[in-house]
Amino acid sequence: MRNLFVKTYVAFAALILVSFTFAGSVFLAQISRYSVQQNKSQLENSVSNIQALVEHNESAYVDTDGRSILQLYLQQMAVSSNSQMMVADAEGHVLISASGEKTAGDLKADELSDDLLKAISKKGKYFGMGTLSGLFSKDYYIAGRQCVDESGNVTAYIIAATPAEETRRLVQDIMHTFVLIVFFTLILTLIISWFLSDILTRPLRGIVSASKQFARGEFDVRVTEDNNCDEIDELAVSFNNMVSTLQQQEELSRSFVANVSHELKTPMTSISGFADGMLDGTIPPEKHRQYLEIISQESHRLSRMVVRMLETARIESGEIV
């Protein structure tokens, strides 16, 4: 994975996925916490009302008429909140119970467990989730309180419970909806990230393509300097300046080679021409010395030109100043 486009796209995708995962986890945790708090608040409010009624009217669960009125009251609360309501005596025996339409049949015992009685007695109230040692056939959110008389003795226990399945189903529905939203949003953002990655890497690909053309000898190639990105624009300007400088140097080198070739050709033509003339007899022997002096002068001239070229090369390489 050395391609910049792939790295950029994967980075975008990973960032988006991590962000959605984190946000979704926090969101679902908050929803679950809120649902539990709502159930707790509702159940504790119910047991508080029943507790107040029982403590201020002991006959509410002692005599027949009182029980009938309390039974009706509990039944109304159970139906309206779709929950289980019950009143137990000081030993934990259920005296009165009522259930909503969806919770009918979930109560499997008529006695509160010792663990629940101890938990309620410890702080005077209780909230938790479970089956209460088989009291219910499935998990319930349960709130409980104890009623005491003027002497501080426990006279009754109030229990209100609502199915945990409802809250779980609500959280699951929200989670499914959230997952669908995240799925389609993720696809959309990944598509956008694809185009963003392409936009960000396109100028760099243009510079790479231009550099390959320049390497093939196409010195008139240039790249766009307006890419809506300061760093890439600076890189493009630097590349174009470099290409312009190298193009000028190439033109100077070609001009230099052409000039040097012309300058070298003149003495070499003189040397070779006079030497051939003496060898083939065109130049008579009595004039050989004259033309040998010319050949010598042109040879020294040629030598000086070669020395200057070597010095120029050394200056360009930095060996001498």
Side-chain angles (χ1 to χ4, degrees):
M1 194 175 65
R2 300 178 63 183
N3 187 281
L4 180 60
F5 172 79
V6 175
K7 289 183 177 180
T8 305
Y9 179 70
V10 170
F12 273 131
L15 179 62
I16 294 168
L17 187 60
V18 169
S19 299
F20 273 117
T21 301
F22 176 76
S25 300
V26 173
F27 176 74
L28 290 177
Q30 290 294 331
I31 289 294
S32 299
R33 181 180 177 183
Y34 175 77
S35 299
V36 173
Q37 289 296 328
Q38 285 291 101
N39 285 320
K40 181 179 180 180
S41 176
Q42 178 182 352
L43 292 175
E44 289 186 343
N45 184 61
S46 298
V47 294
S48 178
N49 292 334
I50 299 173
Q51 179 191 25
L53 177 63
V54 171
E55 287 183 341
H56 287 82
N57 186 11
E58 185 177 347
S59 63
Y61 63 93
V62 174
D63 57 49
T64 305
D65 293 339
R67 284 193 182 186
S68 299
I69 295 173
L70 183 59
Q71 174 74 42
L72 181 62
Y73 179 68
L74 294 181
Q75 187 66 41
Q76 290 177 344
M77 293 184 65
V79 172
S80 63
S81 60
N82 190 31
S83 57
Q84 290 274 359
M85 302 289 176
M86 64 188 73
V87 177
D89 60 17
E91 287 73 32
H93 300 292
V94 178
L95 301 176
I96 304 173
S97 65
S99 60
E101 181 179 354
K102 294 183 179 180
T103 60
D106 289 345
L107 186 63
K108 297 300 181 181
D110 57 1
E111 186 175 353
L112 304 182
S113 66
D114 293 337
D115 292 337
L116 177 60
L117 296 179
K118 290 178 181 179
I120 297 176
S121 300
K122 186 176 182 180
K123 294 183 178 180
K125 61 181 180 179
Y126 168 82
F127 179 80
M129 186 187 74
T131 62
L132 291 185
S133 302
L135 182 65
F136 296 108
S137 60
K138 55 187 177 182
D139 288 341
Y140 269 69
Y141 288 110
I142 303 161
R145 289 199 180 190
Q146 62 183 8
C147 299
V148 296
D149 57 18
E150 295 179 354
S151 302
N153 299 318
V154 177
T155 58
Y157 290 94
I158 312 299
I159 302 295
T162 187
E165 183 180 355
E166 296 292 330
T167 301
R168 291 174 181 171
R169 188 179 298 112
L170 173 64
V171 173
Q172 289 177 355
D173 291 341
I174 294 175
M175 183 178 67
H176 291 160
T177 304
F178 179 79
V179 168
L180 288 176
I181 293 174
V182 169
F183 176 74
F184 289 109
T185 305
L186 186 60
I187 291 177
L188 179 61
T189 51
L190 288 178
I191 293 174
I192 295 175
S193 298
W194 179 279
F195 287 105
L196 286 176
S197 300
D198 181 68
I199 291 173
L200 290 175
T201 58
R202 188 182 304 161
L204 297 178
R205 293 199 300 269
I207 293 175
V208 171
S209 177
S211 63
K212 291 180 179 179
Q213 291 179 272
F214 183 77
R216 292 195 297 266
E218 301 177 17
F219 298 107
D220 58 343
V221 63
R222 295 293 186 276
V223 295
T224 303
E225 297 180 359
D226 185 14
N227 300 286
N228 297 320
C229 180
D230 293 339
E231 291 79 3
I232 296 179
D233 288 346
E234 290 179 5
L235 178 62
V237 170
S238 300
F239 179 84
N240 289 338
N241 291 338
M242 178 195 69
V243 171
S244 299
T245 301
L246 292 177
Q247 184 178 18
Q248 292 176 1
Q249 291 181 353
E250 179 66 18
E251 292 174 354
L252 289 174
S253 297
R254 290 178 180 177
S255 177
F256 176 76
V257 171
N259 291 334
V260 168
S261 298
H262 177 72
E263 293 296 330
L264 292 177
K265 183 177 181 181
T266 301
M268 290 177 65
T269 300
S270 299
I271 293 171
S272 62
F274 292 144
D276 290 339
M278 287 186 291
L279 290 174
D280 62 14
T282 303
I283 299 175
E286 60 271 16
K287 293 186 177 182
H288 281 189
R289 183 175 181 83
Q290 175 187 350
Y291 287 101
L292 285 173
E293 291 178 354
I294 295 174
I295 291 174
S296 177
Q297 293 174 359
E298 294 297 327
S299 297
H300 288 302
R301 177 186 172 190
L302 183 60
S303 177
R304 288 194 301 271
M305 294 177 64
V306 171
V307 170
R308 289 173 182 172
M309 289 176 60
L310 293 175
E311 289 178 348
T312 301
R314 293 174 65 190
I315 291 174
E316 289 182 348
S317 64
E319 294 183 14
I320 60 175
V321 180

